[in-house]
Amino acid sequence: MKCLGKCGGRTAAFLPVCWLFLKILQPGHSHLYNNRYAGDKVIRLIPKTEEEAYALKKISHQLKVDLWQPSSVSHVSEGTVTDIHIPQNGSQALLAFLREANIQYKILIEDLQKALEHGSSLQTQRNRRSLSGYNYEVYHSLEEIQNWMHHLNKTHAGLIHMFSIGRSYEGRNLFILKLGRRSRPYKRAVWIDCGIHAREWIGPAFCQWFVKEALLTYRSDPAMRKMLNHLYFYIMPVFNVDGYHFSWTNDRFWRKTRSKNSRFRCQGVDANRNWKVKWCDEGASMHPCDDTYCGPFPESEPEVKAVANFLRKHRKHIRAYLSFHAYAQMLLYPYSYKYATIPNFSCVESAAYKAVNALQSVYGVRYRYGPASRTL
């Protein structure tokens, strides 16, 4: 945790940002979304040349595919692992194009609806909220997550304080858990958010898991006890509450917020591309119907505005920002928009190196790590 304060004699005026891209769990719910994904496929391609990459970009625009990775079609290039969700009515055209262009591909999911139904057939108890009874290995609805937060706020008052920093576009509370032993009011702090992209359910699942681990091991693990005694963790389990709720009730693969646009029927903004810094730069779209739409102006989304205002208000004390996403196994840190080296690069790189080694030692999975501009 040395990176959270000073590093190499330099103050941490620069706020490190790390994106952790995690593996996806099997869903534990029974929503079938009115059979809307019947016959849809998920296809993986790796363009071998820039010509193939260009062809993929072109056909992706024409067929309006749902790109699962990379995050933007502009990032598709030679050697880039590209996963595409294609609706049933476009799959034959895409496969025919790939065969004609001699672009190799692999069908990861033959029928997306059947894959969802298989996951939803897992019968589990999700409603118990106690640490021992709550199932942390399945996904939970927004209502269940917020009930769990209220329960912890009542039962762990010494380490948990729950509060709201505002409301979403649709009027839902933006709840935060302040985790840490209450002592002096201005301890150094770490911000953690999950679920900025609605369909990335592993994020909120991780945030819940982290809180559970912190509370259960506070007395038995000296490292955890030291962290919670000397730091506050501001944890936002579901950043994009409207989109997350919509992904449970209407569209499992909804990504954006749910704000309305006066000129287009398409709804929502990519909250992660709505920040002020380098707003709507490379990797973002100006078109409201795109999944990477940056919004009509910076911080147009009330969710983003609320978080930004909170961070600005507490900027003297918050020393790190962690944001959890899906899907890949990467630990990314700044910069994304340029190739320059961040001021505390050696400190952040050392922390990332230790983190990926620790992950590999437990799970055997090797995460890629580095500045987002180079790693992506």
Side-chain angles (χ1 to χ4, degrees):
M1 301 307 295
K2 292 180 181 178
C3 283
L4 299 176
K6 296 183 177 180
C7 185
R10 303 185 67 154
T11 58
F14 169 76
L15 192 64
V17 183
C18 299
W19 293 291
L20 289 174
F21 293 77
L22 305 170
K23 282 188 173 179
I24 296 179
L25 297 169
Q26 284 292 329
H29 78 299
S30 58
H31 295 95
L32 299 180
Y33 302 99
N34 295 319
N35 210 39
R36 66 182 295 165
Y37 305 109
D40 290 13
K41 300 184 188 304
V42 178
I43 300 170
R44 172 164 292 176
L45 326 99
I46 305 177
K48 294 181 178 180
T49 65
E50 287 302 329
E51 289 74 18
E52 288 189 2
Y54 176 78
L56 283 177
K57 291 179 182 180
K58 189 174 180 180
I59 195 68
S60 296
H61 282 300
Q62 290 175 353
L63 297 178
K64 292 182 168 38
V65 302
D66 176 19
L67 194 64
W68 284 14
Q69 74 165 331
S71 59
S72 170
V73 71
S74 64
H75 294 152
V76 175
S77 60
E78 180 182 347
T80 302
V81 177
T82 305
D83 290 353
I84 293 173
H85 164 211
I86 183 76
Q88 182 183 29
N89 59 11
S91 61
Q92 293 306 314
L94 176 62
L95 293 177
F97 168 82
L98 295 175
R99 287 191 289 265
E100 185 176 343
N102 200 29
I103 298 176
Q104 294 184 357
Y105 64 90
K106 177 182 180 182
I107 298 178
L108 297 181
I109 301 176
E110 186 70 44
D111 189 316
L112 191 54
Q113 183 69 32
K114 289 181 179 178
L116 288 174
E117 289 173 352
H118 173 73
S120 69
S121 67
L122 303 174
Q123 298 299 319
T124 57
Q125 281 190 316
R126 300 198 316 271
N127 293 324
R128 296 179 64 186
R129 293 174 307 216
S130 66
L131 280 176
S132 58
Y134 192 81
N135 191 340
Y136 290 88
E137 296 189 359
V138 298
Y139 295 120
H140 291 273
S141 69
L142 180 65
E143 181 183 8
E144 289 169 352
I145 294 172
Q146 292 185 343
N147 287 340
W148 167 82
M149 295 172 74
H150 281 290
H151 180 77
L152 294 188
N153 191 48
K154 292 178 181 178
T155 57
H156 293 79
L159 287 172
I160 290 280
H161 172 57
M162 178 182 175
F163 61 96
S164 174
I165 60 170
R167 289 188 177 272
S168 68
Y169 179 84
E170 294 180 342
R172 294 181 175 88
N173 269 304
L174 304 173
F175 284 125
I176 308 295
L177 290 179
K178 183 180 180 181
L179 173 65
R181 184 170 174 267
R182 298 185 186 182
S183 56
R184 58 186 185 275
Y186 296 114
K187 292 196 299 187
R188 291 179 298 170
V190 176
W191 171 275
I192 299 177
D193 67 49
C194 297
I196 195 169
H197 291 137
R199 65 190 183 186
E200 296 173 9
W201 289 4
I202 191 66
F206 166 78
C207 268
Q208 294 169 81
W209 184 278
F210 175 76
V211 172
K212 179 262 295 185
E213 286 294 303
L215 295 176
L216 286 180
T217 63
Y218 174 70
R219 298 190 182 281
S220 60
D221 184 348
M224 183 63 74
R225 185 164 59 250
K226 182 179 180 181
M227 281 199 300
L228 297 189
N229 285 346
H230 292 87
L231 291 168
Y232 283 131
F233 289 86
Y234 292 108
I235 301 168
M236 192 175 195
V238 187
F239 187 119
N240 181 5
V241 288
D242 295 346
Y244 184 77
H245 176 73
F246 191 76
S247 74
W248 275 74
T249 59
N250 293 75
D251 182 352
R252 172 62 186 88
F253 302 104
W254 186 260
R255 170 184 166 96
K256 301 187 287 184
T257 63
R258 292 295 298 160
S259 58
K260 294 181 179 179
N261 189 297
S262 59
R263 295 178 54 225
F264 292 84
R265 290 199 309 173
C266 301
Q267 285 184 245
V269 167
D270 183 343
N272 201 39
R273 285 162 173 79
N274 193 233
W275 306 101
K276 278 187 176 179
V277 178
K278 297 295 177 179
W279 175 73
C280 223
D281 211 333
E282 185 177 353
S285 170
M286 290 291 291
H287 197 286
C289 294
D290 290 342
D291 271 346
T292 54
Y293 175 48
C294 58
F297 55 87
E299 296 181 14
S300 62
E301 305 310 282
E303 301 88 347
V304 175
K305 186 73 170 177
V307 171
N309 284 341
F310 183 86
L311 294 174
R312 283 190 284 260
K313 182 179 178 181
H314 297 86
R315 63 184 303 170
K316 290 184 179 179
H317 313 293
I318 296 178
R319 302 302 180 91
Y321 183 124
L322 303 171
S323 186
F324 290 83
H325 293 246
Y327 72 53
Q329 286 73 55
M330 298 183 190
L331 196 159
L332 307 174
Y333 46 85
Y335 293 109
S336 296
Y337 65 89
K338 62 181 179 180
Y339 290 104
T341 301
I342 57 177
N344 54 349
F345 173 80
S346 59
C347 178
V348 174
E349 185 185 43
S350 174
Y353 174 78
K354 292 175 182 177
V356 297
N357 283 339
L359 282 165
Q360 186 174 23
S361 70
V362 176
Y363 301 108
V365 177
R366 185 68 182 178
Y367 276 59
R368 292 172 58 199
Y369 71 97
S373 55
R374 295 191 178 95
T375 309
L376 290 177

